[in-house]
Amino acid sequence: MKAVAEIESELPDLRTEDLHHIECMIHELYRRRNERVIYDDAYGLWMTEDQTSVASEVFALFDKQEEQNANR
C-alpha cells in the first residue's frame, strides 16, 4: 500500500495530459483483466462501481422528494 500512497501524493503535481494518459492506461488494464466493466466505448468505461454510485444518488433524490411531498 505504500506504493499507492506514493502515487496518490504525486497525482496533484502532474500535468493534465499526464493524468489523461494514466487514466487511459488504467482503463486499458481494466479491459485486459475483464474487470467488472458494464459498458466500454470511445468515451471510456462504465464500471459496476459507477453504476452503484449513480443508483445511490438517484435513490437519495427519490427519498428527498418523498420527504418534501410528505411535509406538504
Side-chain angles (χ1 to χ4, degrees):
M1 287 309 214
K2 182 179 177 186
V4 173
E6 290 173 1
I7 292 168
E8 286 178 348
S9 71
E10 295 294 324
L11 290 176
D13 297 329
L14 295 177
R15 298 175 310 137
T16 301
E17 294 82 11
D18 296 331
L19 291 173
H20 180 71
H21 178 75
I22 290 170
E23 181 180 17
C24 290
M25 289 179 63
I26 291 170
H27 286 180
E28 183 58 33
L29 286 172
Y30 284 140
R31 289 180 184 108
R32 288 183 196 164
R33 295 177 182 184
N34 295 317
E35 291 288 333
R36 303 177 309 271
V37 175
I38 294 175
Y39 194 73
D40 182 359
D41 67 4
Y43 296 106
L45 299 175
W46 188 258
M47 308 290 288
T48 54
E49 291 84 357
D50 299 319
Q51 188 73 23
T52 302
S53 175
V54 168
S56 177
E57 290 180 35
V58 168
F59 286 125
L61 287 172
F62 287 160
D63 290 342
K64 184 177 179 181
Q65 186 176 25
E66 286 178 0
E67 184 180 311
Q68 289 173 347
N69 290 340
N71 291 331
R72 288 185 181 172

